[in-house]
């Protein structure tokens, strides 16, 4: 009888240990799931911040360049079409001050202009004078 009680007590102890282990494993799985949810939430928040920053940067660019930022221009010399805000990629655009009346469209890459035109353009930028392209000067 003593052995039966001892066996029964050992079985109860083993069952209690098994339940305790299962509770611990269950608690561990819940904590892991909660951590995954927290990480997903953080990632969504980071993505949201990145999208907001991108929108703000685009808005600032639109404000900086106005309607010219989205309009494409054609260089009057090399005929390459691009946006006026390509200066962030190192492409400088300059416009003839005759604007729409310019014979060749009014926009030029600095690198496409002859050196004499480049010097005249730089001088007009320093002095604040108007710069008129060589095509319009011929008139």
């Amino acid at each position: 009888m003593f052995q039966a009680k001892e066996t029964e007590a050992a079985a109860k102890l083993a069952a209690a240990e098994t339940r305790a282990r299962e509770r611990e494993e269950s608690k561990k799985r819940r904590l892991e799931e909660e951590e995954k949810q927290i990480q997903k939430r953080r990632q969504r928040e980071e993505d949201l911040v990145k999208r907001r920053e991108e929108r703000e940067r685009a808005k600032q660019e639109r404000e900086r360049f106005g309607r010219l930022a989205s309009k494409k221009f054609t260089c009057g010399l090399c005929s390459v079409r691009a946006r006026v805000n390509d200066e962030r990629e190192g492409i400088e655009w300059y416009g003839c001050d005759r604007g729409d009346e310019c014979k060749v469209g009014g926009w030029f890459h600095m690198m496409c202009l002859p050196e004499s035109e480049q010097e005249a353009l730089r001088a007009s930028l320093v002095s604040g004078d108007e710069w008129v392209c060589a095509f319009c000067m011929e008139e």
Side-chain angles (χ1 to χ4, degrees), residues 24-39:
E24 286 297 317
E25 289 175 4
S26 176
K27 183 178 179 181
K28 185 178 177 182
R29 281 193 301 270
R30 268 196 323 271
L31 290 173
E32 288 173 355
E33 285 299 316
E34 288 175 5
E35 183 62 31
K36 286 180 185 178
Q37 292 297 324
I38 289 170
Q39 292 210 354

Side-chain angles (χ1 to χ4, degrees), residues 61 64-65 68-73 80-93 109:
E61 189 172 295
R64 180 173 174 213
F65 294 109
L68 299 180
S70 61
K71 185 176 179 185
K72 283 197 172 187
F73 294 89
V80 170
R81 287 183 53 79
R83 299 193 187 287
V84 76
N85 60 349
D86 285 343
E87 68 185 36
R88 68 178 167 206
E89 296 173 12
I91 301 170
E92 297 179 28
W93 284 88
H109 296 115

